[in-house]
Amino acid sequence: MPFTPIHLGPGLAFKAFGGRHFSFMVFGGSQVLMDIEPLIGILQNKTILHGYTHTLLGALVIGTIGGIVGRPTSSYLLRLLAIPHPPFTWAASFVGAYIGTLSHVLLDSIMHFDMSPWWPIVSGNQLQTVLSIDQLHIACLIAGIVGGIVVAVRIKNRTLS
């Protein structure tokens, strides 16, 4: 299923450790960009849903687009919603975008049979049997819970100082 929220769990963990140097908004937006290809494939009833965009090369291209579009879009939304935040840098945008797209390929490679993440260097999906789908979901959930707790504590401590 495209646009799976399970990808956001590791994103929270990355935010917890990356802080202001990692944009969770750009990370999330990059997840959506990655799944445009599978969505189109579903709408066209294709058998292969995870093609070129779900390779390391595709992730780098989409990450670059996500980083370029992510900073101005996220900055605008943060201002519009009046959400206080530290200065939003290009580096934070690109870190969020590239970690978003590269982690997307890694997680989807474990889950989906129709991927070839190392294309054009190697064909096939050598990562699919690394974890079961249940183990993958649990790992993403744990990453999200731990990351969410760390982020919440940091936000609470900032407001108390």
Side-chain angles (χ1 to χ4, degrees):
M1 173 180 165
F3 315 119
T4 176
I6 202 75
H7 287 279
L8 298 179
L12 277 173
F14 285 117
K15 180 64 176 177
F17 295 104
R20 66 182 179 86
H21 305 289
F22 174 86
S23 172
F24 185 70
M25 287 182 72
V26 176
F27 176 92
S30 296
Q31 299 297 322
V32 174
L33 288 175
M34 287 294 292
D35 276 338
I36 291 173
E37 180 188 37
L39 175 62
I40 292 169
I42 288 170
L43 294 174
Q44 295 177 345
N45 204 27
K46 291 187 176 181
T47 55
I48 302 295
L49 301 177
H50 302 90
Y52 298 118
T53 64
H54 281 68
T55 65
L56 292 179
L57 183 60
L60 292 173
V61 170
I62 293 172
T64 301
I65 294 166
I68 291 168
V69 173
R71 181 176 182 252
T73 303
S74 297
S75 292
Y76 172 76
L77 288 172
L78 289 167
R79 276 192 313 278
L80 182 70
L81 299 171
I83 297 172
H85 59 89
F88 199 132
T89 65
W90 282 108
S93 184
F94 280 99
V95 168
Y98 287 129
I99 289 177
T101 57
L102 293 169
S103 68
H104 192 103
V105 169
L106 175 67
L107 296 174
D108 274 12
S109 292
I110 295 169
M111 187 167 189
H112 299 291
F113 74 93
D114 62 343
M115 290 194 48
S116 190
W118 310 110
W119 181 90
I121 298 165
V122 177
S123 62
N125 185 356
Q126 299 77 19
L127 298 173
Q128 190 177 15
T129 58
V130 171
L131 297 172
S132 72
I133 292 175
D134 288 341
Q135 290 169 325
L136 176 66
H137 286 169
I138 290 168
C140 289
L141 181 63
I142 291 169
I145 290 169
V146 170
I149 290 169
V150 171
V151 168
V153 167
R154 286 190 177 158
I155 289 171
K156 182 179 182 212
N157 288 340
R158 240 188 317 197
T159 58
L160 293 176
S161 24

PDB file of all heavy atoms in Angstrom, residues 30 33 58-70 90 93-94 97-98 101:
ATOM      1  N   SER A  30       9.183  13.269   1.354  1.00  0.00           N
ATOM      2  CA  SER A  30       9.967  12.395   0.470  1.00  0.00           C
ATOM      3  C   SER A  30       9.381  10.988   0.421  1.00  0.00           C
ATOM      4  O   SER A  30       9.453  10.317  -0.611  1.00  0.00           O
ATOM      5  CB  SER A  30      11.421  12.353   0.943  1.00  0.00           C
ATOM      6  OG  SER A  30      12.005  13.622   0.826  1.00  0.00           O
ATOM      7  N   LEU A  33       6.665  11.239  -2.106  1.00  0.00           N
ATOM      8  CA  LEU A  33       7.237  11.291  -3.457  1.00  0.00           C
ATOM      9  C   LEU A  33       7.674   9.902  -3.929  1.00  0.00           C
ATOM     10  O   LEU A  33       7.489   9.545  -5.099  1.00  0.00           O
ATOM     11  CB  LEU A  33       8.431  12.247  -3.509  1.00  0.00           C
ATOM     12  CG  LEU A  33       8.131  13.735  -3.416  1.00  0.00           C
ATOM     13  CD1 LEU A  33       9.426  14.537  -3.365  1.00  0.00           C
ATOM     14  CD2 LEU A  33       7.267  14.187  -4.582  1.00  0.00           C
ATOM     15  N   GLY A  58      17.293   5.850  -7.980  1.00  0.00           N
ATOM     16  CA  GLY A  58      16.018   6.571  -7.953  1.00  0.00           C
ATOM     17  C   GLY A  58      15.839   7.348  -6.663  1.00  0.00           C
ATOM     18  O   GLY A  58      15.324   8.472  -6.662  1.00  0.00           O
ATOM     19  N   ALA A  59      16.265   6.761  -5.541  1.00  0.00           N
ATOM     20  CA  ALA A  59      16.155   7.438  -4.247  1.00  0.00           C
ATOM     21  C   ALA A  59      16.999   8.712  -4.219  1.00  0.00           C
ATOM     22  O   ALA A  59      16.583   9.719  -3.632  1.00  0.00           O
ATOM     23  CB  ALA A  59      16.576   6.492  -3.127  1.00  0.00           C
ATOM     24  N   LEU A  60      18.168   8.671  -4.850  1.00  0.00           N
ATOM     25  CA  LEU A  60      19.016   9.874  -4.885  1.00  0.00           C
ATOM     26  C   LEU A  60      18.382  10.979  -5.733  1.00  0.00           C
ATOM     27  O   LEU A  60      18.412  12.155  -5.362  1.00  0.00           O
ATOM     28  CB  LEU A  60      20.412   9.525  -5.403  1.00  0.00           C
ATOM     29  CG  LEU A  60      21.247   8.648  -4.465  1.00  0.00           C
ATOM     30  CD1 LEU A  60      22.547   8.225  -5.151  1.00  0.00           C
ATOM     31  CD2 LEU A  60      21.535   9.364  -3.159  1.00  0.00           C
ATOM     32  N   VAL A  61      17.771  10.593  -6.841  1.00  0.00           N
ATOM     33  CA  VAL A  61      17.097  11.581  -7.697  1.00  0.00           C
ATOM     34  C   VAL A  61      15.901  12.183  -6.958  1.00  0.00           C
ATOM     35  O   VAL A  61      15.735  13.410  -6.888  1.00  0.00           O
ATOM     36  CB  VAL A  61      16.660  10.947  -9.039  1.00  0.00           C
ATOM     37  CG1 VAL A  61      15.761  11.888  -9.821  1.00  0.00           C
ATOM     38  CG2 VAL A  61      17.882  10.547  -9.857  1.00  0.00           C
ATOM     39  N   ILE A  62      15.062  11.326  -6.376  1.00  0.00           N
ATOM     40  CA  ILE A  62      13.875  11.815  -5.669  1.00  0.00           C
ATOM     41  C   ILE A  62      14.288  12.587  -4.414  1.00  0.00           C
ATOM     42  O   ILE A  62      13.662  13.586  -4.061  1.00  0.00           O
ATOM     43  CB  ILE A  62      12.924  10.652  -5.353  1.00  0.00           C
ATOM     44  CG1 ILE A  62      12.351  10.101  -6.661  1.00  0.00           C
ATOM     45  CG2 ILE A  62      11.793  11.095  -4.423  1.00  0.00           C
ATOM     46  CD1 ILE A  62      11.559   8.833  -6.513  1.00  0.00           C
ATOM     47  N   GLY A  63      15.352  12.154  -3.744  1.00  0.00           N
ATOM     48  CA  GLY A  63      15.854  12.884  -2.588  1.00  0.00           C
ATOM     49  C   GLY A  63      16.308  14.289  -2.952  1.00  0.00           C
ATOM     50  O   GLY A  63      16.083  15.239  -2.196  1.00  0.00           O
ATOM     51  N   THR A  64      16.929  14.425  -4.108  1.00  0.00           N
ATOM     52  CA  THR A  64      17.357  15.751  -4.563  1.00  0.00           C
ATOM     53  C   THR A  64      16.143  16.644  -4.816  1.00  0.00           C
ATOM     54  O   THR A  64      16.105  17.808  -4.378  1.00  0.00           O
ATOM     55  CB  THR A  64      18.223  15.632  -5.838  1.00  0.00           C
ATOM     56  OG1 THR A  64      19.366  14.813  -5.536  1.00  0.00           O
ATOM     57  CG2 THR A  64      18.669  16.990  -6.346  1.00  0.00           C
ATOM     58  N   ILE A  65      15.141  16.100  -5.475  1.00  0.00           N
ATOM     59  CA  ILE A  65      13.907  16.862  -5.710  1.00  0.00           C
ATOM     60  C   ILE A  65      13.247  17.211  -4.378  1.00  0.00           C
ATOM     61  O   ILE A  65      12.834  18.355  -4.152  1.00  0.00           O
ATOM     62  CB  ILE A  65      12.940  16.059  -6.611  1.00  0.00           C
ATOM     63  CG1 ILE A  65      13.538  15.898  -8.011  1.00  0.00           C
ATOM     64  CG2 ILE A  65      11.568  16.731  -6.677  1.00  0.00           C
ATOM     65  CD1 ILE A  65      12.835  14.862  -8.879  1.00  0.00           C
ATOM     66  N   GLY A  66      13.173  16.227  -3.476  1.00  0.00           N
ATOM     67  CA  GLY A  66      12.568  16.453  -2.167  1.00  0.00           C
ATOM     68  C   GLY A  66      13.296  17.511  -1.368  1.00  0.00           C
ATOM     69  O   GLY A  66      12.676  18.345  -0.692  1.00  0.00           O
ATOM     70  N   GLY A  67      14.612  17.509  -1.424  1.00  0.00           N
ATOM     71  CA  GLY A  67      15.393  18.510  -0.705  1.00  0.00           C
ATOM     72  C   GLY A  67      15.189  19.914  -1.251  1.00  0.00           C
ATOM     73  O   GLY A  67      15.079  20.877  -0.492  1.00  0.00           O
ATOM     74  N   ILE A  68      15.107  20.025  -2.580  1.00  0.00           N
ATOM     75  CA  ILE A  68      14.913  21.332  -3.223  1.00  0.00           C
ATOM     76  C   ILE A  68      13.520  21.884  -2.923  1.00  0.00           C
ATOM     77  O   ILE A  68      13.359  23.049  -2.575  1.00  0.00           O
ATOM     78  CB  ILE A  68      15.150  21.234  -4.745  1.00  0.00           C
ATOM     79  CG1 ILE A  68      16.631  20.971  -5.032  1.00  0.00           C
ATOM     80  CG2 ILE A  68      14.674  22.489  -5.467  1.00  0.00           C
ATOM     81  CD1 ILE A  68      16.936  20.580  -6.475  1.00  0.00           C
ATOM     82  N   VAL A  69      12.517  21.050  -3.058  1.00  0.00           N
ATOM     83  CA  VAL A  69      11.133  21.476  -2.860  1.00  0.00           C
ATOM     84  C   VAL A  69      10.778  21.537  -1.369  1.00  0.00           C
ATOM     85  O   VAL A  69       9.955  22.352  -0.946  1.00  0.00           O
ATOM     86  CB  VAL A  69      10.177  20.507  -3.603  1.00  0.00           C
ATOM     87  CG1 VAL A  69       8.728  20.795  -3.290  1.00  0.00           C
ATOM     88  CG2 VAL A  69      10.434  20.566  -5.093  1.00  0.00           C
ATOM     89  N   GLY A  70      11.416  20.691  -0.578  1.00  0.00           N
ATOM     90  CA  GLY A  70      11.044  20.538   0.825  1.00  0.00           C
ATOM     91  C   GLY A  70      11.280  21.751   1.690  1.00  0.00           C
ATOM     92  O   GLY A  70      10.447  22.084   2.535  1.00  0.00           O
ATOM     93  N   TRP A  90      19.064  24.522   4.445  1.00  0.00           N
ATOM     94  CA  TRP A  90      19.085  23.638   3.276  1.00  0.00           C
ATOM     95  C   TRP A  90      19.645  22.275   3.670  1.00  0.00           C
ATOM     96  O   TRP A  90      19.169  21.236   3.191  1.00  0.00           O
ATOM     97  CB  TRP A  90      19.912  24.241   2.143  1.00  0.00           C
ATOM     98  CG  TRP A  90      19.172  25.304   1.402  1.00  0.00           C
ATOM     99  CD1 TRP A  90      19.399  26.648   1.445  1.00  0.00           C
ATOM    100  CD2 TRP A  90      18.065  25.120   0.511  1.00  0.00           C
ATOM    101  NE1 TRP A  90      18.505  27.305   0.638  1.00  0.00           N
ATOM    102  CE2 TRP A  90      17.679  26.396   0.045  1.00  0.00           C
ATOM    103  CE3 TRP A  90      17.357  24.004   0.067  1.00  0.00           C
ATOM    104  CZ2 TRP A  90      16.626  26.582  -0.842  1.00  0.00           C
ATOM    105  CZ3 TRP A  90      16.312  24.188  -0.833  1.00  0.00           C
ATOM    106  CH2 TRP A  90      15.957  25.460  -1.271  1.00  0.00           C
ATOM    107  N   SER A  93      17.029  20.153   5.164  1.00  0.00           N
ATOM    108  CA  SER A  93      16.101  19.713   4.128  1.00  0.00           C
ATOM    109  C   SER A  93      16.664  18.524   3.352  1.00  0.00           C
ATOM    110  O   SER A  93      15.982  17.512   3.151  1.00  0.00           O
ATOM    111  CB  SER A  93      15.792  20.870   3.173  1.00  0.00           C
ATOM    112  OG  SER A  93      14.831  20.491   2.215  1.00  0.00           O
ATOM    113  N   PHE A  94      17.923  18.645   2.927  1.00  0.00           N
ATOM    114  CA  PHE A  94      18.515  17.561   2.139  1.00  0.00           C
ATOM    115  C   PHE A  94      18.792  16.315   2.984  1.00  0.00           C
ATOM    116  O   PHE A  94      18.624  15.198   2.506  1.00  0.00           O
ATOM    117  CB  PHE A  94      19.770  18.038   1.407  1.00  0.00           C
ATOM    118  CG  PHE A  94      19.441  18.789   0.154  1.00  0.00           C
ATOM    119  CD1 PHE A  94      19.441  20.171   0.140  1.00  0.00           C
ATOM    120  CD2 PHE A  94      19.101  18.108  -1.002  1.00  0.00           C
ATOM    121  CE1 PHE A  94      19.116  20.869  -1.009  1.00  0.00           C
ATOM    122  CE2 PHE A  94      18.773  18.791  -2.162  1.00  0.00           C
ATOM    123  CZ  PHE A  94      18.777  20.180  -2.166  1.00  0.00           C
ATOM    124  N   ALA A  97      15.461  14.659   3.289  1.00  0.00           N
ATOM    125  CA  ALA A  97      15.046  14.082   2.011  1.00  0.00           C
ATOM    126  C   ALA A  97      15.827  12.819   1.672  1.00  0.00           C
ATOM    127  O   ALA A  97      15.243  11.788   1.316  1.00  0.00           O
ATOM    128  CB  ALA A  97      15.218  15.117   0.894  1.00  0.00           C
ATOM    129  N   TYR A  98      17.153  12.882   1.783  1.00  0.00           N
ATOM    130  CA  TYR A  98      17.963  11.715   1.424  1.00  0.00           C
ATOM    131  C   TYR A  98      17.772  10.556   2.406  1.00  0.00           C
ATOM    132  O   TYR A  98      17.680   9.402   1.987  1.00  0.00           O
ATOM    133  CB  TYR A  98      19.442  12.071   1.304  1.00  0.00           C
ATOM    134  CG  TYR A  98      19.775  12.870   0.071  1.00  0.00           C
ATOM    135  CD1 TYR A  98      20.501  14.052   0.163  1.00  0.00           C
ATOM    136  CD2 TYR A  98      19.368  12.459  -1.195  1.00  0.00           C
ATOM    137  CE1 TYR A  98      20.815  14.786  -0.968  1.00  0.00           C
ATOM    138  CE2 TYR A  98      19.666  13.189  -2.323  1.00  0.00           C
ATOM    139  CZ  TYR A  98      20.395  14.353  -2.209  1.00  0.00           C
ATOM    140  OH  TYR A  98      20.697  15.081  -3.334  1.00  0.00           O
ATOM    141  N   THR A 101      14.362   9.045   1.461  1.00  0.00           N
ATOM    142  CA  THR A 101      14.275   8.208   0.264  1.00  0.00           C
ATOM    143  C   THR A 101      15.126   6.943   0.382  1.00  0.00           C
ATOM    144  O   THR A 101      14.696   5.868  -0.039  1.00  0.00           O
ATOM    145  CB  THR A 101      14.670   8.998  -0.998  1.00  0.00           C
ATOM    146  OG1 THR A 101      15.995   9.524  -0.855  1.00  0.00           O
ATOM    147  CG2 THR A 101      13.693  10.135  -1.263  1.00  0.00           C
TER     148      THR A 101
END
